[in-house]
């Protein structure tokens, strides 16, 4: 595959991934306005179970398919590549049937153990998704192995559009028919199943359209000894298992909250409905806003892996230091202002976005967001540090560190959520501490393996100074404008002023450099223009 085609494929997947993440993050806002904190609590009780089951059944196998198919095709063994796909497809289909059946038949038992029985419809509606998404994953891995990224991108976008559109439409219909919040939450969950169905349909259609060309390739395949099925399965599992473990850690964080928070809130006197409402405020309202900055940190991580990997293969530690330092700094330049912005404007942002909820719900969700906002710094930092370690071939280290963070989270969330004065905020605090631990351990590993000594002024002090300037501007702007134009407009205006002041602070303090711009799409051209007008000094 040529470099141009590789970059084109990466760009296609990046654009599709960006659209999918934006749609996914935006989806929760109208949903929370439609079904409120209690309904979103039912929905969010089911969803972490689904994401964990999905990660366990599919996370690593598509990557393994892509790698093995690519290797077979590169030597002309098209028949062997097709055999890898066929065996993997059967494995994923079996996994899908098992996980789907487990959720479908075990839904009542699961929601009973989670002490949120009204989440039954939300969980059972996700069972078909666990059947369709593994099918889709098999085809995506196959096409990526053939270095054809377009089918994956198209199916991702169609899947998410169907999920959002059908999910919200079902919620509206069920509420209009007065079927109640548990059923409406089930409608929202069914969006994922509908998305999986349409995504599968699209990618299977693309495969059928290209089958003639694939068969032609297979007929002119070089002659190779037929691999044993057991050997192919072993090769798939060797690649898939470590990736699956890594991909399961973050969904595990959500599953921990589901398993503990509802129970502990009821232990300190909340009813099941009240506990579901508080859990919905945490995961369906506050956490939704925390997910937005990840769109950018994930993109940075995607850029870091190949850049670090290339430099590491050449043992070019000077380049590793420059790229890793730049990656960490850019991550902080995103995480710090996002965290401080959400902290300062926590309640106004909640009131702006979740306007249809009662005032006491908005105020409660705002106080939760104020605490949870600090997790943005460490969550985005973990993602970039993980990418750096993956680029150096140390993929298991960040997984191990996240597991350590998850174990700490279990203890902290159990203790703090059971304290009446803390309650659901204990879950937010436990998330922050878990990511602090993981980011600290990752940072120590990066220093060790990349042989880096970080410049405290460039990486930390200058970004903090720029964010401090932004924070002052945001606070002053909001306080001045609220009395004149109202809360909603004042929130939007203060965010705008904050963004402008932050950009100027970065340029004036020379916090951001041309190397940093290289990690962003089209960044090199933008940095050259800024240099010409004197706003970028290095």
């Amino acid at each position: 595959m040529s470099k141009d085609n590789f970059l084109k494929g990466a760009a296609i997947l990046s654009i599709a991934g960006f659209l999918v993440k934006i749609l996914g993050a935006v989806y929760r806002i109208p949903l929370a306005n439609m079904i409120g904190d209690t309904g979103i609590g039912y929905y969010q009780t089911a969803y972490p179970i689904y994401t964990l089951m999905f990660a366990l059944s599919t996370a690593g196998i598509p990557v393994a398919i892509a790698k093995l198919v690519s290797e077979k095709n590169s030597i002309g063994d098209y028949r062997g590549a097709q055999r890898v796909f066929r065996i993997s497809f059967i494995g994923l289909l079996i996994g899908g049937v098992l996980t789907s059946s487990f959720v479908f038949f075990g839904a009542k038992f699961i929601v009973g153990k989670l002490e949120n029985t009204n989440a039954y419809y939300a969980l059972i509606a996700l069972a078909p998704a666990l059947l369709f998404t593994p099918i889709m994953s098999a085809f995506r891995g196959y096409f990526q192995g053939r270095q054809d990224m377009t089918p994956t991108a198209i199916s991702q976008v169609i899947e998410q559009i169907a999920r959002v559109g059908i999910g919200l439409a079902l919620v509206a219909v069920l509420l209009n028919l007065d079927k109640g919040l548990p059923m409406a939450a089930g409608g929202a969950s069914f969006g994922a199943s509908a998305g999986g169905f349409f995504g599968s349909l699209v990618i299977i259609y693309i495969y059928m359209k290209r089958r003639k060309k694939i068969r032609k390739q297979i007929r002119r395949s070089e002659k190779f000894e037929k691999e044993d099925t057991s050997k192919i399965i072993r090769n798939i599992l060797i690649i898939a298992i470590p990736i699956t473990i890594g991909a399961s850690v973050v969904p595990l964080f959500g599953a921990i909250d589901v398993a503990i928070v509802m129970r502990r809130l009821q232990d300190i006197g909340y009813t099941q409905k009240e506990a579901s409402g508080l859990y919905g405020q945490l995961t369906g309202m506050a956490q939704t806003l925390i997910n937005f900055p990840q769109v950018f940190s994930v993109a940075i991580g995607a850029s870091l892996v190949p850049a670090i990997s290339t430099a590491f293969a050449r043992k070019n530690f000077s380049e590793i230091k420059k790229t890793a330092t730049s990656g960490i700094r850019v991550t902080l330049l995103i995480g710090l202002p996002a965290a401080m912005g959400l902290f300062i404007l926590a309640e106004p942002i909640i009131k702006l976005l979740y306007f249809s909820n009662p005032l006491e719900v908005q105020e409660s969700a705002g106080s939760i967001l104020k605490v949870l906002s600090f997790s943005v710094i460490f969550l985005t930092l973990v993602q970039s540090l993980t990418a750096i370690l993956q680029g150096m071939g140390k993929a298991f280290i960040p997984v191990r560190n996240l597991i350590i963070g998850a174990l700490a989270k279990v203890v902290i969330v159990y203790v703090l959520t059971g304290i009446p004065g803390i309650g659901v905020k204990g879950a937010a605090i436990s998330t922050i501490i878990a990511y602090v631990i993981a980011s600290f351990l990752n940072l120590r590993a990066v220093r060790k393996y990349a042989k880096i000594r970080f410049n405290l002024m460039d990486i930390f002090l200058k970004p903090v100074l720029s964010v401090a300037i932004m924070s002052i501007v945001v606070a002053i702007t909001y306080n001045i404008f609220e009395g004149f134009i109202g809360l909603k407009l004042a929130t939007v205006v203060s965010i705008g002023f904050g963004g402008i002041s932050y950009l100027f602070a970065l340029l004036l303090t020379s916090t951001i450099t041309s190397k940093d711009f290289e990690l962003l799409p089209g960044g090199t051209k933008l940095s050259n223009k800024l240099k010409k007008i004197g706003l970028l000094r290095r």
Side-chain angles (χ1 to χ4, degrees):
M1 188 183 193
S2 72
K3 184 181 177 183
D4 287 344
N5 285 339
F6 169 76
L7 292 173
K8 182 182 174 184
I12 289 168
L13 282 183
S14 296
I15 292 165
F18 184 81
L19 288 172
V20 165
K21 285 188 177 293
I22 289 292
L23 281 169
V26 170
Y27 175 52
R28 306 290 174 91
I29 295 170
L31 182 61
N33 281 316
M34 292 170 81
I35 61 177
D37 62 331
T38 303
I40 205 78
Y42 301 150
Y43 173 83
Q44 285 295 144
T45 297
Y47 212 75
I49 305 299
Y50 161 73
T51 53
L52 182 59
M53 299 295 284
F54 174 72
L56 288 171
S57 63
T58 67
I61 295 181
V63 178
I65 295 171
K67 186 176 187 299
L68 295 174
V69 166
S70 177
E71 287 174 358
K72 297 284 185 187
N73 283 345
S74 67
I75 59 172
D77 187 8
Y78 300 110
R79 186 171 280 104
Q82 194 69 13
R83 185 166 157 76
V84 166
F85 167 60
R86 193 161 54 246
I87 291 167
S88 303
F89 177 82
I90 292 167
L92 281 168
L93 186 61
I94 291 168
V97 169
L98 291 174
T99 52
S100 179
S101 301
F102 173 77
V103 168
F104 184 81
F105 293 110
K108 270 192 178 170
F109 173 79
I110 294 167
V111 296
K113 285 295 180 184
L114 296 174
E115 297 197 5
N116 195 1
T117 51
N118 283 323
Y120 171 74
Y121 293 112
L123 185 56
I124 205 167
L126 288 165
L130 289 166
L131 178 62
F132 294 127
T133 45
I135 293 170
M136 198 162 38
S137 296
F139 283 99
R140 285 175 180 173
Y142 176 69
F143 280 117
Q144 287 171 33
R146 291 174 60 83
Q147 298 168 349
D148 184 356
M149 308 302 171
T150 305
T152 295
I154 292 170
S155 70
Q156 283 178 339
V157 173
I158 294 295
E159 177 194 6
Q160 195 71 327
I161 290 171
R163 176 181 170 237
V164 172
I166 293 172
L168 292 177
L170 279 173
V171 171
V173 169
L174 291 166
L175 287 176
N176 192 49
L177 294 172
D178 203 23
K179 294 294 183 180
L181 286 179
M183 190 76 81
S189 287
F190 190 77
S193 294
F197 172 75
F198 283 104
S200 299
L201 211 61
V202 166
I203 205 161
I204 290 170
Y205 173 76
I206 293 170
Y207 177 81
M208 297 302 287
K209 289 277 286 183
R210 300 184 186 184
R211 194 166 61 167
K212 190 175 180 181
K213 181 183 174 183
I214 291 166
R215 283 177 171 171
K216 196 177 286 185
Q217 274 188 331
I218 292 169
R219 282 196 295 271
R220 60 184 175 83
S221 176
E222 299 286 338
K223 296 288 182 183
F224 288 89
E225 187 178 340
K226 186 178 178 182
E227 262 188 313
D228 289 339
T229 301
S230 59
K231 187 180 178 184
I232 292 172
I233 293 170
R234 187 167 65 250
N235 289 339
I236 291 167
L237 293 178
I238 287 169
I239 299 166
I241 287 173
I243 295 168
T244 301
I245 293 169
S248 301
V249 176
V250 173
L252 189 61
F253 275 40
I256 289 167
D257 281 341
V258 172
I260 298 173
V261 174
M262 288 290 298
R263 184 182 296 273
R264 292 297 282 160
L265 288 175
Q266 290 173 67
D267 286 346
I268 58 174
Y270 289 99
T271 66
Q272 189 180 101
K273 185 179 179 181
E274 288 169 340
S276 183
L278 288 168
Y279 182 71
Q281 291 167 28
L282 169 71
T283 57
M285 294 181 177
Q287 186 65 52
T288 295
L289 299 174
I290 299 302
N291 290 338
F292 275 103
Q294 289 187 64
V295 172
F296 302 100
S297 59
V298 167
I300 290 167
S303 299
L304 281 171
V305 173
I308 295 288
S309 182
T310 302
F312 190 74
R314 296 171 181 166
K315 303 296 180 190
N316 188 343
F317 286 98
S318 173
E319 184 62 24
I320 291 171
K321 180 182 176 181
K322 285 180 188 175
T323 306
T325 301
S326 187
I328 294 166
R329 185 169 61 250
V330 172
T331 301
L332 286 173
L333 294 180
I334 292 167
L336 283 169
M340 288 308 298
L342 288 171
F343 175 76
I344 295 167
L345 298 173
E347 195 173 305
I349 289 171
I350 290 288
K351 287 179 177 178
L352 173 69
L353 297 175
Y354 302 109
F355 51 86
S356 69
N357 287 268
L359 182 61
E360 63 270 19
V361 170
Q362 294 175 13
E363 290 173 348
S364 176
S367 66
I368 294 168
L369 178 59
K370 196 174 275 285
V371 176
L372 194 61
S373 62
F374 292 101
S375 69
V376 175
I377 302 167
F378 303 103
L379 171 56
T380 53
L381 196 56
V382 163
Q383 289 170 334
S384 288
L385 292 168
T386 297
I388 292 166
L389 289 167
Q390 286 173 340
M392 293 190 291
K394 307 292 181 183
F396 182 71
I397 291 173
V399 173
R400 180 200 64 196
N401 294 341
L402 268 176
I403 291 170
I404 293 168
L407 292 173
K409 179 178 169 64
V410 171
V411 176
I412 296 162
V413 73
Y414 185 86
V415 173
L416 293 184
T417 310
I419 299 172
I422 299 175
V424 74
K425 290 176 187 173
I429 294 167
S430 72
T431 298
I432 296 167
I433 294 172
Y435 283 123
V436 166
I437 291 168
S439 58
F440 172 77
L441 293 173
N442 281 355
L443 191 61
R444 194 172 68 173
V446 167
R447 286 184 64 184
K448 177 182 176 182
Y449 293 106
K451 302 173 183 177
I452 297 175
R453 285 191 176 182
F454 296 111
N455 185 318
L456 197 63
M457 175 63 77
D458 284 343
I459 286 187
F460 186 71
L461 295 179
K462 283 184 178 181
V464 166
L465 176 62
S466 300
V467 169
I469 293 168
M470 179 210 78
S471 300
I472 293 166
V473 170
V474 168
I476 291 172
T477 306
Y478 179 76
N479 288 326
I480 290 172
F481 281 95
E482 186 194 5
F484 294 105
I485 58 177
L487 180 145
K488 291 181 180 178
L489 275 176
T491 303
V492 174
V493 169
S494 58
I495 290 170
F497 271 92
I500 293 165
S501 64
Y502 181 59
L503 180 61
F504 275 102
L506 290 176
L507 295 170
L508 291 172
T509 58
S510 297
T511 303
I512 196 163
T513 69
S514 55
K515 182 71 178 175
D516 301 330
F517 277 98
E518 289 174 15
L519 293 174
L520 303 171
T524 304
K525 289 182 180 178
L526 181 59
S527 70
N528 290 335
K529 288 179 181 178
L530 290 171
K531 280 179 180 177
K532 282 180 182 178
I533 60 175
L535 285 175
L536 191 63
R537 299 175 192 174
R538 59 192 179 111

